[in-house]
Amino acid sequence: MRVAIIGGKLQGVEATYLAKKAGWEVVLFDRRPLAQASRLADRFYCMDILTCSQEFIACLRGIDLILPAIEDIEVLRALQGISEMTSIPLAFDRAAYSISSSKRISNRLFHDIDVPSPLPWPDCDFPILLKPSSRSGSEGVQVIYTKQELETIQTNNPDEEWIIEEYLEGPSYSIEVVGFAGEYRVFQISELEMDEQYDCKRVLAPAELKYSLIKEFEELALKIAREITLNGIMDVETILHNGRLKVLEIDARLPSQTPTAVYHSSGINMVECLGNTCVQGSLYSSLPKQAVQNDQYVIYEHFLVTSEKIEASGEHILSQVGPLSLLTDFLGTDEVLTDYTPEKKEWVLTLITRSSDFKDAWKKREKVLQRIQEELKIPIVIDPYPSSLNKELNCYDSFRGKRYRFDSTTNGRVQRRVSEKDRSYTFRNRCACYWHALYRRS
């Protein structure tokens, strides 16, 4: 299959990576000459498809599928018209996307079909969560603790349409659905961990959930997919609060991060499933209908590396760099995506670690971080969590095999220092983290 991927940023990296894993030929289009996914594709065209539409159409000769990896509505509209004109299938459901791209509309949908979700303001108490209605993911998300703080933000941003709802604490999970012509299938559930900006920094697959919660989450996702008559892909994000799953948001477009984690854990490629579904005009049936929950344990995470520290960070750090390269056996890793070169003083690292046992996977990634520290003489590893989390948890130090109680008083950071004298690992008790994978199997 020859696929044209439109957009080479975060979604484009995901789409290109998984398309290549499917054995497809990838032709990437992006108007930025240093698009993050440009080195991963077989061919890259630096092109604005809105201003160079005829040239773009000429480049589509021999293409079997158009896969948007972009959220620019004008580009998406143009692609829909080009798909109709050229008869090349487009892996995008505009009607479903119009619902999911507005948090106000999707929240109304949840209410109408009795999908559990956070209570709206003012039917809830502080703290509350502010989310811009039209922005994706964690962009612009804020936790508000007082009415005065809320009024100040609203006064300073009079043109912003805010979604205001109760703030819930608990682990976050994601599931994807692919559907076509009334048939749907769900994929493996993954767990999400956030940085200080509530941006996802780490995906764990498979998620450790009770069987009853797995089935409940799958049914919630399928219920939403049926209601919006999904013809494409959608991800659903929930939070487990007081033992109950509540849906936070949906996105009817190819997500980033989770598909790669699920691929390495279950062996099932969402891009392959989506692409073949769109090309053949029916749900791709060569994959099992039910998700597999216990194959490989996978840790998929992002780091910002400088001479001073290695810091776990949300995927936003990838949007700030140039082309990424896919490397295997990089200092003991399974695979990494990185812009690293020896002369760089600051670079990013997406680390993919897998094993048949979770503890082994975690120790494996710790050894990689240790090697990076030792070879580049970087003194500290920082693992920030949202500072609004005020919990004390029992933690497991995989190096020492001991339990620690981390005090939640220092802005959500786990720090590990390496002394200049013996470069031995020590832990500083500075943590407001919760539900960290490190603790789950202690």
Short mmCIF file of all heavy atoms in Angstrom, two decimals, residues 333-396:
data_model
loop_
_atom_site.label_atom_id
_atom_site.label_comp_id
_atom_site.label_asym_id
_atom_site.label_seq_id
_atom_site.Cartn_x
_atom_site.Cartn_y
_atom_site.Cartn_z
N THR A 333 18.38 0.44 24.37
CA THR A 333 16.94 0.54 24.20
C THR A 333 16.44 -0.45 23.17
O THR A 333 17.21 -1.00 22.37
CB THR A 333 16.54 1.95 23.74
OG1 THR A 333 17.16 2.18 22.46
CG2 THR A 333 17.00 3.00 24.71
N ASP A 334 15.12 -0.67 23.16
CA ASP A 334 14.50 -1.43 22.07
C ASP A 334 14.41 -0.53 20.83
O ASP A 334 14.90 -0.88 19.77
CB ASP A 334 13.10 -1.91 22.49
CG ASP A 334 13.18 -3.01 23.54
OD1 ASP A 334 13.99 -3.93 23.38
OD2 ASP A 334 12.42 -2.93 24.53
N GLU A 335 13.76 0.62 20.99
CA GLU A 335 13.67 1.61 19.92
C GLU A 335 13.58 2.99 20.54
O GLU A 335 13.02 3.15 21.64
CB GLU A 335 12.43 1.39 19.04
CG GLU A 335 12.51 0.20 18.11
CD GLU A 335 11.33 0.13 17.16
OE1 GLU A 335 10.38 0.94 17.31
OE2 GLU A 335 11.35 -0.73 16.27
N VAL A 336 14.12 3.99 19.85
CA VAL A 336 13.93 5.37 20.27
C VAL A 336 13.66 6.23 19.04
O VAL A 336 14.13 5.95 17.94
CB VAL A 336 15.15 5.95 21.03
CG1 VAL A 336 15.42 5.19 22.30
CG2 VAL A 336 16.39 6.01 20.15
N LEU A 337 12.91 7.28 19.26
CA LEU A 337 12.78 8.37 18.29
C LEU A 337 13.49 9.57 18.91
O LEU A 337 13.19 9.95 20.05
CB LEU A 337 11.31 8.69 18.03
CG LEU A 337 10.53 7.63 17.25
CD1 LEU A 337 9.02 7.88 17.38
CD2 LEU A 337 10.94 7.64 15.78
N THR A 338 14.42 10.16 18.19
CA THR A 338 15.22 11.22 18.79
C THR A 338 15.79 12.15 17.72
O THR A 338 15.94 11.76 16.56
CB THR A 338 16.37 10.62 19.62
OG1 THR A 338 17.12 11.67 20.25
CG2 THR A 338 17.31 9.78 18.75
N ASP A 339 16.10 13.37 18.14
CA ASP A 339 16.83 14.30 17.28
C ASP A 339 18.28 14.42 17.75
O ASP A 339 18.98 15.37 17.39
CB ASP A 339 16.15 15.67 17.28
CG ASP A 339 16.23 16.38 18.63
OD1 ASP A 339 16.31 15.69 19.67
OD2 ASP A 339 16.19 17.62 18.66
N TYR A 340 18.74 13.45 18.54
CA TYR A 340 20.08 13.50 19.12
C TYR A 340 21.18 13.49 18.06
O TYR A 340 21.15 12.72 17.10
CB TYR A 340 20.29 12.30 20.05
CG TYR A 340 21.72 12.14 20.52
CD1 TYR A 340 22.24 12.96 21.52
CD2 TYR A 340 22.55 11.18 19.95
CE1 TYR A 340 23.55 12.81 21.94
CE2 TYR A 340 23.86 11.02 20.37
CZ TYR A 340 24.36 11.85 21.37
OH TYR A 340 25.66 11.71 21.78
N THR A 341 22.16 14.35 18.25
CA THR A 341 23.46 14.28 17.58
C THR A 341 24.51 14.63 18.63
O THR A 341 24.21 15.36 19.58
CB THR A 341 23.56 15.27 16.40
OG1 THR A 341 23.29 16.61 16.86
CG2 THR A 341 22.57 14.92 15.29
N PRO A 342 25.73 14.13 18.51
CA PRO A 342 26.71 14.31 19.58
C PRO A 342 27.00 15.77 19.94
O PRO A 342 27.32 16.06 21.09
CB PRO A 342 27.97 13.64 19.00
CG PRO A 342 27.45 12.62 18.06
CD PRO A 342 26.22 13.23 17.45
N GLU A 343 26.83 16.68 18.98
CA GLU A 343 27.16 18.08 19.28
C GLU A 343 26.03 18.84 19.97
O GLU A 343 26.24 19.96 20.45
CB GLU A 343 27.56 18.82 17.99
CG GLU A 343 26.43 19.02 16.99
CD GLU A 343 26.23 17.82 16.08
OE1 GLU A 343 26.89 16.78 16.31
OE2 GLU A 343 25.41 17.93 15.15
N LYS A 344 24.84 18.25 20.04
CA LYS A 344 23.70 18.96 20.62
C LYS A 344 23.79 19.02 22.14
O LYS A 344 24.13 18.03 22.80
CB LYS A 344 22.39 18.29 20.22
CG LYS A 344 21.93 18.63 18.81
CD LYS A 344 20.49 18.20 18.59
CE LYS A 344 20.01 18.70 17.23
NZ LYS A 344 18.61 18.33 16.99
N LYS A 345 23.45 20.18 22.69
CA LYS A 345 23.42 20.35 24.14
C LYS A 345 22.02 20.10 24.70
O LYS A 345 21.85 19.96 25.90
CB LYS A 345 23.90 21.75 24.52
CG LYS A 345 25.34 22.03 24.14
CD LYS A 345 25.82 23.34 24.68
CE LYS A 345 27.28 23.62 24.28
NZ LYS A 345 28.19 22.58 24.77
N GLU A 346 21.01 20.08 23.82
CA GLU A 346 19.64 19.82 24.24
C GLU A 346 18.95 19.00 23.16
O GLU A 346 19.00 19.35 21.99
CB GLU A 346 18.88 21.12 24.50
CG GLU A 346 17.45 20.92 24.96
CD GLU A 346 16.78 22.23 25.35
OE1 GLU A 346 17.35 22.97 26.19
OE2 GLU A 346 15.69 22.53 24.80
N TRP A 347 18.32 17.90 23.55
CA TRP A 347 17.67 17.02 22.58
C TRP A 347 16.55 16.26 23.24
O TRP A 347 16.41 16.26 24.47
CB TRP A 347 18.69 16.07 21.94
CG TRP A 347 19.61 15.37 22.88
CD1 TRP A 347 20.72 15.90 23.49
CD2 TRP A 347 19.53 14.01 23.33
NE1 TRP A 347 21.34 14.96 24.28
CE2 TRP A 347 20.63 13.79 24.20
CE3 TRP A 347 18.66 12.96 23.07
CZ2 TRP A 347 20.86 12.58 24.82
CZ3 TRP A 347 18.88 11.73 23.67
CH2 TRP A 347 19.98 11.55 24.54
N VAL A 348 15.70 15.65 22.41
CA VAL A 348 14.55 14.92 22.94
C VAL A 348 14.72 13.43 22.64
O VAL A 348 15.45 13.02 21.73
CB VAL A 348 13.23 15.43 22.34
CG1 VAL A 348 13.01 16.89 22.71
CG2 VAL A 348 13.18 15.22 20.84
N LEU A 349 14.01 12.65 23.43
CA LEU A 349 14.12 11.20 23.34
C LEU A 349 12.75 10.60 23.62
O LEU A 349 12.16 10.85 24.67
CB LEU A 349 15.12 10.69 24.38
CG LEU A 349 15.32 9.19 24.54
CD1 LEU A 349 16.05 8.63 23.33
CD2 LEU A 349 16.09 8.90 25.82
N THR A 350 12.20 9.87 22.66
CA THR A 350 11.02 9.05 22.91
C THR A 350 11.50 7.62 23.06
O THR A 350 12.02 7.02 22.12
CB THR A 350 10.00 9.16 21.77
OG1 THR A 350 9.52 10.51 21.70
CG2 THR A 350 8.82 8.23 22.01
N LEU A 351 11.35 7.10 24.24
CA LEU A 351 11.92 5.80 24.62
C LEU A 351 10.82 4.74 24.63
O LEU A 351 9.78 4.92 25.28
CB LEU A 351 12.56 5.93 26.00
CG LEU A 351 13.16 4.70 26.66
CD1 LEU A 351 14.27 4.11 25.82
CD2 LEU A 351 13.68 5.06 28.05
N ILE A 352 11.03 3.67 23.89
CA ILE A 352 10.08 2.56 23.83
C ILE A 352 10.74 1.33 24.46
O ILE A 352 11.76 0.84 23.96
CB ILE A 352 9.67 2.25 22.38
CG1 ILE A 352 9.09 3.50 21.71
CG2 ILE A 352 8.66 1.11 22.34
CD1 ILE A 352 8.89 3.36 20.21
N THR A 353 10.20 0.88 25.57
CA THR A 353 10.76 -0.26 26.30
C THR A 353 9.69 -1.33 26.44
O THR A 353 8.56 -1.02 26.81
CB THR A 353 11.24 0.17 27.70
OG1 THR A 353 12.03 1.35 27.60
CG2 THR A 353 12.05 -0.93 28.34
N ARG A 354 10.05 -2.57 26.18
CA ARG A 354 9.06 -3.65 26.29
C ARG A 354 9.70 -4.89 26.91
O ARG A 354 10.90 -5.14 26.77
CB ARG A 354 8.47 -3.97 24.92
CG ARG A 354 9.47 -4.34 23.85
CD ARG A 354 8.80 -4.59 22.51
NE ARG A 354 9.76 -4.97 21.49
CZ ARG A 354 10.32 -4.13 20.63
NH1 ARG A 354 9.98 -2.86 20.65
NH2 ARG A 354 11.19 -4.57 19.75
N SER A 355 8.86 -5.67 27.58
CA SER A 355 9.29 -6.93 28.19
C SER A 355 8.05 -7.74 28.51
O SER A 355 6.94 -7.20 28.59
CB SER A 355 10.11 -6.68 29.46
OG SER A 355 10.49 -7.90 30.06
N SER A 356 8.22 -9.02 28.75
CA SER A 356 7.09 -9.87 29.12
C SER A 356 6.69 -9.69 30.57
O SER A 356 5.64 -10.18 30.99
CB SER A 356 7.43 -11.34 28.86
OG SER A 356 8.59 -11.71 29.60
N ASP A 357 7.50 -8.96 31.33
CA ASP A 357 7.22 -8.70 32.75
C ASP A 357 7.37 -7.21 33.01
O ASP A 357 8.34 -6.59 32.54
CB ASP A 357 8.19 -9.50 33.62
CG ASP A 357 8.00 -9.21 35.10
OD1 ASP A 357 7.10 -9.82 35.70
OD2 ASP A 357 8.72 -8.35 35.64
N PHE A 358 6.43 -6.63 33.76
CA PHE A 358 6.47 -5.18 33.94
C PHE A 358 7.72 -4.73 34.70
O PHE A 358 8.35 -3.74 34.34
CB PHE A 358 5.22 -4.67 34.67
CG PHE A 358 5.25 -3.18 34.84
CD1 PHE A 358 4.89 -2.35 33.79
CD2 PHE A 358 5.71 -2.61 36.01
CE1 PHE A 358 4.98 -0.98 33.92
CE2 PHE A 358 5.80 -1.23 36.14
CZ PHE A 358 5.42 -0.42 35.10
N LYS A 359 8.07 -5.43 35.78
CA LYS A 359 9.25 -5.03 36.54
C LYS A 359 10.50 -5.06 35.66
O LYS A 359 11.36 -4.19 35.76
CB LYS A 359 9.43 -5.94 37.75
CG LYS A 359 8.54 -5.61 38.93
CD LYS A 359 8.90 -6.48 40.12
CE LYS A 359 8.06 -6.13 41.33
NZ LYS A 359 8.35 -6.98 42.50
N ASP A 360 10.59 -6.08 34.82
CA ASP A 360 11.74 -6.17 33.92
C ASP A 360 11.76 -5.00 32.94
O ASP A 360 12.82 -4.44 32.64
CB ASP A 360 11.71 -7.49 33.15
CG ASP A 360 12.06 -8.68 34.02
OD1 ASP A 360 12.60 -8.46 35.11
OD2 ASP A 360 11.75 -9.82 33.60
N ALA A 361 10.59 -4.63 32.44
CA ALA A 361 10.51 -3.49 31.51
C ALA A 361 10.96 -2.21 32.22
O ALA A 361 11.71 -1.41 31.65
CB ALA A 361 9.09 -3.33 30.98
N TRP A 362 10.52 -2.04 33.47
CA TRP A 362 10.89 -0.82 34.20
C TRP A 362 12.39 -0.79 34.50
O TRP A 362 13.05 0.25 34.34
CB TRP A 362 10.09 -0.70 35.48
CG TRP A 362 10.22 0.65 36.10
CD1 TRP A 362 11.07 1.02 37.09
CD2 TRP A 362 9.52 1.83 35.70
NE1 TRP A 362 10.95 2.36 37.35
CE2 TRP A 362 10.00 2.87 36.52
CE3 TRP A 362 8.55 2.10 34.76
CZ2 TRP A 362 9.52 4.18 36.40
CZ3 TRP A 362 8.06 3.39 34.65
CH2 TRP A 362 8.55 4.42 35.46
N LYS A 363 12.95 -1.93 34.91
CA LYS A 363 14.39 -1.98 35.18
C LYS A 363 15.19 -1.74 33.90
O LYS A 363 16.25 -1.11 33.94
CB LYS A 363 14.75 -3.33 35.79
CG LYS A 363 14.25 -3.52 37.21
CD LYS A 363 14.60 -4.90 37.75
CE LYS A 363 14.11 -5.07 39.17
NZ LYS A 363 14.41 -6.42 39.70
N LYS A 364 14.67 -2.23 32.80
CA LYS A 364 15.34 -2.06 31.51
C LYS A 364 15.43 -0.58 31.14
O LYS A 364 16.49 -0.09 30.74
CB LYS A 364 14.56 -2.83 30.46
CG LYS A 364 15.22 -2.98 29.10
CD LYS A 364 14.34 -3.90 28.25
CE LYS A 364 14.90 -4.07 26.86
NZ LYS A 364 14.02 -4.95 26.04
N ARG A 365 14.32 0.16 31.30
CA ARG A 365 14.36 1.58 30.97
C ARG A 365 15.21 2.36 31.98
O ARG A 365 15.87 3.34 31.63
CB ARG A 365 12.96 2.18 30.82
CG ARG A 365 12.00 2.00 32.00
CD ARG A 365 12.10 3.05 33.05
NE ARG A 365 11.58 4.33 32.66
CZ ARG A 365 11.62 5.38 33.46
NH1 ARG A 365 12.17 5.28 34.67
NH2 ARG A 365 11.15 6.54 33.07
N GLU A 366 15.26 1.91 33.24
CA GLU A 366 16.12 2.57 34.22
C GLU A 366 17.59 2.41 33.84
O GLU A 366 18.39 3.32 34.00
CB GLU A 366 15.87 1.99 35.61
CG GLU A 366 14.55 2.38 36.23
CD GLU A 366 14.55 3.79 36.76
OE1 GLU A 366 15.57 4.49 36.60
OE2 GLU A 366 13.54 4.21 37.34
N LYS A 367 17.94 1.23 33.31
CA LYS A 367 19.32 1.01 32.89
C LYS A 367 19.70 1.91 31.71
O LYS A 367 20.83 2.39 31.62
CB LYS A 367 19.52 -0.46 32.52
CG LYS A 367 19.55 -1.39 33.73
CD LYS A 367 19.74 -2.84 33.30
CE LYS A 367 19.76 -3.77 34.50
NZ LYS A 367 19.89 -5.20 34.09
N VAL A 368 18.74 2.13 30.82
CA VAL A 368 18.99 3.04 29.70
C VAL A 368 19.25 4.45 30.21
O VAL A 368 20.22 5.11 29.80
CB VAL A 368 17.80 3.03 28.72
CG1 VAL A 368 17.97 4.12 27.67
CG2 VAL A 368 17.67 1.67 28.05
N LEU A 369 18.40 4.92 31.11
CA LEU A 369 18.59 6.26 31.67
C LEU A 369 19.92 6.35 32.42
O LEU A 369 20.62 7.37 32.36
CB LEU A 369 17.43 6.62 32.60
CG LEU A 369 16.05 6.72 31.92
CD1 LEU A 369 14.97 7.02 32.97
CD2 LEU A 369 16.05 7.81 30.86
N GLN A 370 20.28 5.29 33.11
CA GLN A 370 21.56 5.26 33.83
C GLN A 370 22.72 5.38 32.85
O GLN A 370 23.68 6.13 33.09
CB GLN A 370 21.66 3.97 34.64
CG GLN A 370 22.96 3.86 35.44
CD GLN A 370 23.03 2.55 36.21
OE1 GLN A 370 22.15 1.69 36.08
NE2 GLN A 370 24.06 2.39 37.01
N ARG A 371 22.64 4.66 31.74
CA ARG A 371 23.73 4.73 30.75
C ARG A 371 23.84 6.13 30.14
O ARG A 371 24.95 6.63 29.93
CB ARG A 371 23.49 3.71 29.64
CG ARG A 371 23.87 2.29 30.02
CD ARG A 371 23.87 1.37 28.82
NE ARG A 371 24.88 1.74 27.83
CZ ARG A 371 25.05 1.11 26.68
NH1 ARG A 371 24.27 0.07 26.37
NH2 ARG A 371 25.98 1.50 25.83
N ILE A 372 22.71 6.74 29.86
CA ILE A 372 22.74 8.10 29.32
C ILE A 372 23.39 9.04 30.33
O ILE A 372 24.23 9.88 29.98
CB ILE A 372 21.32 8.58 28.97
CG1 ILE A 372 20.74 7.74 27.82
CG2 ILE A 372 21.32 10.06 28.56
CD1 ILE A 372 19.29 8.02 27.51
N GLN A 373 22.98 8.91 31.60
CA GLN A 373 23.58 9.75 32.65
C GLN A 373 25.09 9.55 32.73
O GLN A 373 25.85 10.53 32.81
CB GLN A 373 22.96 9.41 34.00
CG GLN A 373 21.57 9.99 34.22
CD GLN A 373 21.12 9.74 35.64
OE1 GLN A 373 20.74 8.63 35.99
NE2 GLN A 373 21.19 10.76 36.46
N GLU A 374 25.51 8.31 32.74
CA GLU A 374 26.93 8.03 32.95
C GLU A 374 27.77 8.45 31.75
O GLU A 374 28.84 9.04 31.91
CB GLU A 374 27.12 6.53 33.24
CG GLU A 374 26.57 6.12 34.60
CD GLU A 374 26.68 4.63 34.83
OE1 GLU A 374 26.92 3.90 33.84
OE2 GLU A 374 26.54 4.19 35.99
N GLU A 375 27.30 8.14 30.54
CA GLU A 375 28.10 8.44 29.36
C GLU A 375 28.14 9.93 29.04
O GLU A 375 29.13 10.43 28.53
CB GLU A 375 27.57 7.65 28.16
CG GLU A 375 27.75 6.15 28.33
CD GLU A 375 27.62 5.38 27.03
OE1 GLU A 375 27.68 6.01 25.96
OE2 GLU A 375 27.45 4.14 27.09
N LEU A 376 27.05 10.64 29.36
CA LEU A 376 27.01 12.08 29.08
C LEU A 376 27.22 12.93 30.32
O LEU A 376 27.14 14.14 30.26
CB LEU A 376 25.67 12.44 28.41
CG LEU A 376 25.39 11.72 27.08
CD1 LEU A 376 24.06 12.17 26.51
CD2 LEU A 376 26.51 11.93 26.08
N LYS A 377 27.42 12.25 31.46
CA LYS A 377 27.69 12.94 32.74
C LYS A 377 26.59 13.93 33.09
O LYS A 377 26.84 15.10 33.41
CB LYS A 377 29.06 13.63 32.70
CG LYS A 377 30.23 12.66 32.57
CD LYS A 377 31.56 13.38 32.57
CE LYS A 377 32.72 12.40 32.65
NZ LYS A 377 32.73 11.38 31.59
N ILE A 378 25.37 13.45 33.04
CA ILE A 378 24.21 14.27 33.39
C ILE A 378 23.84 13.96 34.84
O ILE A 378 23.61 12.80 35.19
CB ILE A 378 23.03 13.97 32.45
CG1 ILE A 378 23.44 14.26 31.00
CG2 ILE A 378 21.80 14.79 32.83
CD1 ILE A 378 22.42 13.82 29.97
N PRO A 379 23.75 14.96 35.71
CA PRO A 379 23.66 14.68 37.15
C PRO A 379 22.31 14.23 37.67
O PRO A 379 22.24 13.65 38.75
CB PRO A 379 24.05 16.02 37.79
CG PRO A 379 23.69 17.04 36.76
CD PRO A 379 23.94 16.40 35.43
N ILE A 380 21.20 14.47 36.95
CA ILE A 380 19.90 14.26 37.60
C ILE A 380 18.85 13.82 36.59
O ILE A 380 18.88 14.22 35.42
CB ILE A 380 19.46 15.56 38.32
CG1 ILE A 380 18.26 15.31 39.24
CG2 ILE A 380 19.15 16.67 37.34
CD1 ILE A 380 17.96 16.48 40.15
N VAL A 381 17.93 12.97 37.07
CA VAL A 381 16.73 12.60 36.32
C VAL A 381 15.52 13.13 37.08
O VAL A 381 15.41 12.92 38.29
CB VAL A 381 16.60 11.07 36.16
CG1 VAL A 381 15.25 10.70 35.55
CG2 VAL A 381 17.72 10.53 35.29
N ILE A 382 14.65 13.84 36.39
CA ILE A 382 13.46 14.42 37.02
C ILE A 382 12.22 13.85 36.35
O ILE A 382 12.15 13.76 35.13
CB ILE A 382 13.45 15.96 36.89
CG1 ILE A 382 14.72 16.54 37.51
CG2 ILE A 382 12.23 16.56 37.57
CD1 ILE A 382 14.83 18.03 37.37
N ASP A 383 11.24 13.49 37.16
CA ASP A 383 9.99 12.91 36.66
C ASP A 383 8.82 13.72 37.21
O ASP A 383 8.22 13.35 38.21
CB ASP A 383 9.90 11.46 37.09
CG ASP A 383 8.94 10.65 36.23
OD1 ASP A 383 8.26 11.23 35.37
OD2 ASP A 383 8.84 9.45 36.46
N PRO A 384 8.47 14.84 36.60
CA PRO A 384 7.44 15.72 37.17
C PRO A 384 6.03 15.17 36.98
O PRO A 384 5.72 14.55 35.96
CB PRO A 384 7.61 17.03 36.38
CG PRO A 384 8.80 16.85 35.51
CD PRO A 384 9.02 15.39 35.36
N TYR A 385 5.19 15.44 37.95
CA TYR A 385 3.77 15.14 37.89
C TYR A 385 2.99 16.43 38.16
O TYR A 385 3.55 17.39 38.67
CB TYR A 385 3.40 14.06 38.91
CG TYR A 385 3.81 12.69 38.48
CD1 TYR A 385 5.14 12.27 38.57
CD2 TYR A 385 2.89 11.79 37.96
CE1 TYR A 385 5.52 11.02 38.17
CE2 TYR A 385 3.27 10.53 37.55
CZ TYR A 385 4.59 10.15 37.66
OH TYR A 385 4.98 8.89 37.24
N PRO A 386 1.70 16.45 37.86
CA PRO A 386 0.91 17.66 38.15
C PRO A 386 1.01 18.06 39.60
O PRO A 386 0.80 17.24 40.50
CB PRO A 386 -0.51 17.26 37.76
CG PRO A 386 -0.32 16.22 36.71
CD PRO A 386 0.90 15.44 37.14
N SER A 387 1.31 19.33 39.87
CA SER A 387 1.53 19.80 41.24
C SER A 387 0.23 19.85 42.03
O SER A 387 0.25 20.02 43.24
CB SER A 387 2.17 21.19 41.22
OG SER A 387 1.37 22.10 40.49
N SER A 388 -0.92 19.70 41.36
CA SER A 388 -2.20 19.72 42.08
C SER A 388 -2.46 18.42 42.82
O SER A 388 -3.39 18.33 43.62
CB SER A 388 -3.35 19.97 41.10
OG SER A 388 -3.37 18.96 40.12
N LEU A 389 -1.65 17.40 42.57
CA LEU A 389 -1.86 16.11 43.21
C LEU A 389 -1.20 16.11 44.58
O LEU A 389 0.00 16.28 44.71
CB LEU A 389 -1.28 14.99 42.35
CG LEU A 389 -1.84 14.95 40.93
CD1 LEU A 389 -1.06 13.96 40.11
CD2 LEU A 389 -3.30 14.60 40.98
N ASN A 390 -1.98 15.92 45.62
CA ASN A 390 -1.46 15.96 46.98
C ASN A 390 -1.74 14.64 47.66
O ASN A 390 -2.67 14.49 48.43
CB ASN A 390 -2.09 17.11 47.76
CG ASN A 390 -1.66 18.45 47.23
OD1 ASN A 390 -0.47 18.67 47.03
ND2 ASN A 390 -2.60 19.34 46.97
N LYS A 391 -0.93 13.66 47.33
CA LYS A 391 -1.08 12.33 47.92
C LYS A 391 0.28 11.83 48.40
O LYS A 391 1.30 12.22 47.87
CB LYS A 391 -1.65 11.34 46.89
CG LYS A 391 -3.08 11.64 46.48
CD LYS A 391 -3.56 10.60 45.49
CE LYS A 391 -4.99 10.85 45.08
NZ LYS A 391 -5.93 10.64 46.15
N GLU A 392 0.25 10.98 49.40
CA GLU A 392 1.45 10.27 49.80
C GLU A 392 1.28 8.82 49.42
O GLU A 392 0.27 8.20 49.73
CB GLU A 392 1.69 10.40 51.31
CG GLU A 392 2.11 11.81 51.73
CD GLU A 392 2.46 11.88 53.19
OE1 GLU A 392 2.33 10.85 53.86
OE2 GLU A 392 2.89 12.94 53.64
N LEU A 393 2.25 8.27 48.74
CA LEU A 393 2.13 6.92 48.21
C LEU A 393 3.34 6.09 48.60
O LEU A 393 4.45 6.60 48.73
CB LEU A 393 2.01 6.95 46.69
CG LEU A 393 0.78 7.67 46.14
CD1 LEU A 393 0.92 7.79 44.63
CD2 LEU A 393 -0.47 6.92 46.49
N ASN A 394 3.11 4.81 48.75
CA ASN A 394 4.23 3.90 48.90
C ASN A 394 4.85 3.65 47.54
O ASN A 394 4.15 3.34 46.59
CB ASN A 394 3.76 2.57 49.50
CG ASN A 394 3.45 2.71 50.97
OD1 ASN A 394 4.13 3.42 51.68
ND2 ASN A 394 2.41 2.02 51.43
N CYS A 395 6.14 3.81 47.43
CA CYS A 395 6.83 3.70 46.16
C CYS A 395 7.87 2.59 46.22
O CYS A 395 8.36 2.25 47.29
CB CYS A 395 7.52 5.02 45.82
SG CYS A 395 6.40 6.42 45.87
N TYR A 396 8.19 2.08 45.06
CA TYR A 396 9.16 0.99 44.97
C TYR A 396 10.39 1.45 44.20
O TYR A 396 10.28 1.89 43.07
CB TYR A 396 8.53 -0.20 44.26
CG TYR A 396 9.43 -1.42 44.22
CD1 TYR A 396 9.54 -2.25 45.32
CD2 TYR A 396 10.16 -1.73 43.07
CE1 TYR A 396 10.35 -3.37 45.29
CE2 TYR A 396 10.97 -2.85 43.03
CZ TYR A 396 11.06 -3.66 44.14
OH TYR A 396 11.86 -4.77 44.11
#
